Amino acid sequence: MIELDNDLQSRQHARELVRSAKQAHAILASFSQQQIDAIVKNVAQEAAHHAESLAKMACEETGFGNWQDKVLKNRFASLHVYEAIKEMKTVGIIHDDPIKKVMDVGVPLGVICALVPSTNPTSTIFYKALIALKAGNAIIFSPHPGAKMCSWKAIDIVKRAAQAAGAPAGSVSGLTELTLEATSELMHSKEVSLILATGGEGMVRAAYASGTPTISGGPGNGPAFIERSANIPRAVKDIIASKTFDNGVICASEQSVIVERCIYDEVHRELEAQGVYFMQEDEAAKIAALLMRPNGTINPKTVGKSALYLSQVAGFRVPANTRVLIAEQTTVSHQNPYSREKLCPVLGLYVEEDWKAACNRVMELLTNEGLGHTLVIHTQNQDVIRQFSLEKPVNRILINTPAALGGIGATTNLSPALTLGCGAVGGGSSSDNVGPMNLLNIRRVGYGVRSIEELRTPGSQAIPQLRPEPVASPQISILDDARFTSGVTRHSDDRFSLTPSAPCENEINEQNVERVIRQVLERLDK
């Protein structure tokens, strides 16, 4: 018997997994909602049971982040995600409107190929397995080679838990021959219905190029704007907590801070008081040289490392309590790492004259990288929130919360997810925090309610008698929340007032120019 080369063996292994998953899906598709929910519940509980051991394993294998925060991520991706999806209807008739005579039926996609990043190697497996199974799909994981041991362990835990609750063999599986050829085989297979891609930009592009429908996350480059009305100590605390969570490996975390000049001194003092080290120009240059490789991609040796470690490698000393390194910046470009995604506790800082200049800087940063992803604003000004919400090209705008945890739905009520869609503006197919409903097709059933003769004779059909709408309680906007209306604003702010303020005597405008010309002419006449 001829022994196959490794690349061919890995391709054959991938094909076998797809065949097994296809058979499992045929059985899952016949399951009731109760059967599916029992599987999902058991997977979530068993995954949470192993949260700590897998966190330690992932941290040791990858060298990214810290195991304590990975425990929280594992529990979030299991129990928190489960609580959010457990009541969802995903099987059979999921919506029935007897008045309009339309009905929706949930239809599983089939077999899902899930790419797993090395930054979140176990939590991603828990999360993707739960949302895929909840939608009645089989799932095959392609782990990152740099995190294969902890990923294989997580896959095995999920697989055993699913089968113990009644899932057929093949419902959950993963590649054990980790080659590019095996992953390519999965992505190009005609039996794979969807690729759920989370990982590096190159792998995500390859997924879209495969021709198989793909839902992906994207690179984050989220700016954090501290507006003049913000609670500054709280804003700084949130930013640091977010940027240091698992040493900054969550893509929704802040990458730069934008501050209005009128509050800069106070923000600077607060940042230093809470453990931020402001780098000198030469120190910032040394860190910049570490952050990016010559080809412009993130240097994996900096991912998930602490501020103390990075400063030591760069060759300068910082105080022992340093949590984040920060560099003041004035430019944005693809060559400037401080204006790009940094998966470690390093931030760029931009000081702008007012909110309009801050708006421009936000747009510049997002256009440079991170379109469609995340923006965080620290403010108590409702008009600022409205203005940014209407104009900024992101799909998650977070208010007064740590971005890393707010973006994934941990400290906000956004859908809990570890795949954050960037939408068309970010080169993706979905703008959602991806959940089970993204992994379903909806079969719509519509009853005939009017004849073709009625369509040809407008006005001939009887006006339908609609049921009176119940009187609903008035809707309260989130912007009416006491958190946005209480407290004293430190700086007077009439920027959004309907009554224009009196013009400054020295302001350059048409009226003042005419006044100056008249004064000059009067002096000449004398």
Side-chain angles (χ1 to χ4, degrees):
M1 181 176 179
I2 299 175
E3 185 175 346
L4 296 176
D5 291 341
N6 188 51
D7 59 332
L8 296 178
Q9 286 181 357
S10 65
R11 282 184 179 275
Q12 182 60 33
H13 173 55
R15 290 175 183 176
E16 290 169 359
L17 291 182
V18 171
R19 280 195 288 267
S20 180
K22 189 72 173 177
Q23 293 168 1
H25 165 253
I27 300 172
L28 283 173
S30 68
F31 278 16
S32 67
Q33 186 73 69
Q34 290 74 23
Q35 288 174 295
I36 290 292
D37 289 348
I39 294 168
V40 171
K41 181 178 181 180
N42 201 51
V43 168
Q45 291 177 338
E46 190 65 19
H49 180 69
H50 293 273
E52 183 173 323
S53 61
L54 283 172
K56 292 177 178 178
M57 191 175 179
C59 194
E60 182 177 351
E61 183 177 5
T62 66
F64 298 160
N66 62 79
W67 70 265
Q68 294 89 344
D69 289 341
K70 291 186 188 299
V71 172
L72 192 154
K73 282 199 294 188
N74 284 339
R75 292 182 64 83
F76 168 83
S78 52
L79 297 181
H80 197 110
V81 169
Y82 171 70
E83 287 297 320
I85 68 176
K86 66 180 182 181
E87 300 298 335
M88 287 184 183
K89 288 185 177 181
T90 56
V91 175
I93 299 171
I94 61 177
H95 175 70
D96 188 6
D97 187 337
I99 305 302
K100 294 184 177 180
K101 296 188 180 299
V102 293
M103 187 167 63
D104 293 345
V105 177
V107 181
L109 298 182
V111 177
I112 292 175
C113 165
L115 308 183
V116 182
S118 57
T119 48
N120 303 300
T122 57
S123 53
T124 298
I125 287 168
F126 293 162
Y127 150 70
K128 289 187 176 181
L130 287 174
I131 63 173
L133 290 169
K134 178 68 177 182
N137 300 297
I139 185 166
I140 305 171
F141 290 100
S142 176
H144 191 286
K148 61 184 179 182
M149 301 307 296
C150 61
S151 292
W152 286 340
K153 181 65 175 177
I155 293 167
D156 187 61
I157 289 167
V158 170
K159 177 170 64 176
R160 290 177 182 273
Q163 291 182 200
S171 299
V172 177
S173 60
L175 291 176
T176 55
E177 302 286 341
L178 299 183
T179 66
L180 289 175
E181 290 83 6
T183 301
S184 177
E185 185 72 31
L186 282 182
M187 293 194 298
H188 287 83
S189 172
K190 298 301 182 183
E191 302 299 331
V192 168
S193 302
L194 180 89
I195 302 170
L196 194 51
T198 310
E201 190 175 353
M203 185 60 77
V204 170
R205 283 202 304 267
Y208 279 104
S210 70
T212 301
T214 298
I215 295 177
S216 70
N221 189 31
F225 175 36
I226 305 179
E227 193 263 344
R228 66 180 66 181
S229 69
N231 179 328
I232 291 174
R234 176 61 185 272
V236 169
K237 180 181 178 182
D238 284 347
I239 291 170
I240 295 175
S242 174
K243 194 59 180 166
T244 57
F245 184 80
D246 207 15
N247 285 343
V249 299
I250 293 182
C251 58
S253 65
E254 298 84 347
Q255 304 300 325
S256 55
V257 178
I258 302 169
V259 182
E260 288 193 84
R261 190 172 298 281
C262 63
I263 59 171
Y264 172 69
D265 290 342
E266 188 175 355
V267 171
H268 190 287
R269 287 193 299 270
E270 194 62 43
L271 284 165
E272 287 190 321
Q274 294 195 36
V276 170
Y277 177 78
F278 281 78
M279 292 182 283
Q280 299 297 319
E281 188 173 344
D282 63 324
E283 295 169 336
K286 292 176 180 178
I287 291 293
L290 280 178
L291 290 171
M292 297 292 170
R293 293 185 289 193
N295 64 359
T297 60
I298 293 175
N299 180 2
K301 294 181 179 180
T302 66
V303 173
K305 298 298 190 290
S306 70
L308 290 174
Y309 175 88
L310 292 170
S311 62
Q312 183 180 11
V313 172
F316 61 91
R317 297 174 62 87
V318 298
N321 66 342
T322 298
R323 303 172 66 194
V324 174
L325 303 175
I326 205 163
E328 294 193 40
Q329 298 292 302
T330 58
T331 64
V332 174
S333 75
H334 203 67
Q335 288 71 44
N336 178 3
Y338 292 105
S339 60
R340 295 184 57 193
E341 184 180 49
K342 303 164 287 297
L343 298 179
C344 57
V346 175
L347 289 166
L349 175 71
Y350 296 86
V351 182
E352 304 299 340
E353 293 300 327
D354 53 28
W355 76 274
K356 290 183 178 179
C359 273
N360 293 335
R361 184 66 77 183
V362 165
M363 291 296 296
E364 192 177 9
L365 285 162
L366 291 172
T367 302
N368 188 51
E369 188 173 50
L371 280 171
H373 209 289
T374 303
L375 160 69
V376 60
I377 309 171
H378 295 274
T379 182
Q380 296 183 65
N381 190 310
Q382 300 178 26
D383 294 299
V384 168
I385 297 168
R386 288 190 175 98
Q387 195 77 18
F388 274 70
S389 299
L390 290 170
E391 295 181 357
K392 297 298 169 280
V394 293
N395 295 305
R396 278 155 293 277
I397 294 182
L398 311 173
I399 311 299
N400 301 333
T401 193
L405 298 172
I408 65 174
T411 60
T412 64
N413 283 328
L414 299 181
S415 298
L418 292 179
T419 297
L420 308 181
C422 293
V425 70
S429 59
S430 174
S431 61
D432 291 342
N433 280 22
V434 178
M437 301 311 291
N438 297 99
L439 307 183
L440 280 177
N441 282 327
I442 306 297
R443 179 182 297 136
R444 290 186 165 83
V445 180
Y447 288 76
V449 295
R450 61 190 68 88
S451 69
I452 190 170
E453 288 76 19
E454 289 172 320
L455 295 177
R456 286 174 172 159
T457 313
S460 64
Q461 61 205 67
I463 299 175
Q465 297 298 313
L466 300 179
R467 294 183 180 179
E469 292 290 337
V471 178
S473 58
Q475 294 295 310
I476 299 175
S477 167
I478 189 174
L479 298 174
D480 295 325
D481 191 296
R483 289 172 292 179
F484 298 115
T485 57
S486 62
V488 178
T489 301
R490 302 160 191 258
H491 303 270
S492 60
D493 189 359
D494 59 359
R495 295 167 293 166
F496 298 92
S497 172
L498 294 177
T499 305
S501 56
C504 174
E505 185 176 347
N506 296 320
E507 183 180 351
I508 298 177
N509 56 40
E510 186 177 353
Q511 291 82 6
N512 283 343
V513 170
E514 290 180 356
R515 177 176 57 80
V516 171
I517 292 173
R518 285 198 300 272
Q519 290 174 349
V520 172
L521 291 175
E522 288 172 0
R523 292 194 191 102
L524 291 175
D525 289 340
K526 294 177 181 178

